[in-house]
Amino acid sequence: MDDLTAVAARLRDLPPSCGPVRLIAVDGHAGSGKSTFAARLATALGGAPVLRLDDVASHEELFAWLPRLTAQVIEAFSRGEAARYTPYDWTLRRFTAPRVLPAAPVVVVEGVGAGRRALRPYLAGLFWMERGAEESWERGRRRDGAAQSAFWDGWTVAETRHFATDPTRPFSDALVHEGHEGYVIRPASRATARQDQTITHRDRLMPPY
C-alpha cells in the first residue's frame, strides 16, 4: 500500500504524548528510507512538521544529541510551546540560525535513534524501517558518494554500538516494509523485547495498523 491515509487517521486519534503533541518517531538504519517515509507520512497527516535528527546531531555528537533535543524541543513541547532548535550544517560543521518547530497536533521526528530508550516515554507512535543494516548502509554510501566514504566507515561503527546498547526495533509499534509500489506496514511483535528495557504507557495505547 502507498496510501497512508488510514495510518495518518489512527495517529491523529492517539492521545497526546508530549504536552499537546503526538510525537511520532521513524527510526531505522542509516540509508533505510526513513526520510522519504517520514515525508510521505507528514503529507498524509496534512503537512505535519518533521524534525530531522540530522539537524540535531553533529560530527562530534553522532548519538550524544539527547540533551540538545531535550532542551530545545522536548521541554518546549511539554509546556505546550513551539520549539526553537539550532540545525547543524554538515558542510560548514557548525550550528546555524534557530528554526521554529510548532507544537502541532502531530509532529514527526525521523532519524537513527529516534526511538531510543530515553525518548520513548514522549512518543505516541514508533515506526521501524524494516531494512537490514548492510543493505541500508550500502544504499547510503551510493547516495552520498565516495567523498563521504571515511564518514560512513566511522558511522557504521557508531550506529552498531548504539543499537547494541539501545535497540529500537523490539519496541516499535509498526514495521515499515518498502516495496516497489509503496509501503506495507505491519504491527510489530514485542515478544522479543528485552526485559531490561523500558516499555512505557504508549506501548499499550498504539492501535494495530
Side-chain angles (χ1 to χ4, degrees), residues 4 12 34 37 40 55 60 119 133 139 163 169 177:
L4 298 177
R12 283 192 292 264
K34 299 179 300 301
F37 174 73
R40 293 183 181 178
D55 288 339
E60 290 73 30
L119 288 181
R139 292 173 83 240
F163 283 132
R169 188 182 185 278
H177 301 257

Side-chain angles (χ1 to χ4, degrees), residues 110-139:
E110 68 89 5
V112 182
R116 67 195 306 172
R117 182 187 302 111
L119 288 181
R120 286 198 291 270
Y122 302 101
L123 300 179
L126 174 55
F127 292 90
W128 174 262
M129 302 302 296
E130 190 73 333
R131 178 175 272 120
E134 295 296 336
E135 180 186 354
S136 297
W137 295 340
E138 179 59 30
R139 292 173 83 240

Side-chain angles (χ1 to χ4, degrees), residues 174-185:
L175 305 178
V176 182
H177 301 257
E178 184 178 0
H180 295 295
E181 299 181 358
Y183 298 100
V184 175
I185 302 176

Side-chain angles (χ1 to χ4, degrees), residues 6 35-36 62 67 77 84 92 161 173 209:
S35 297
T36 300
L62 295 179
F77 282 175
R84 287 174 60 86
L92 299 176
R161 289 174 177 169
D173 298 297
Y209 290 97

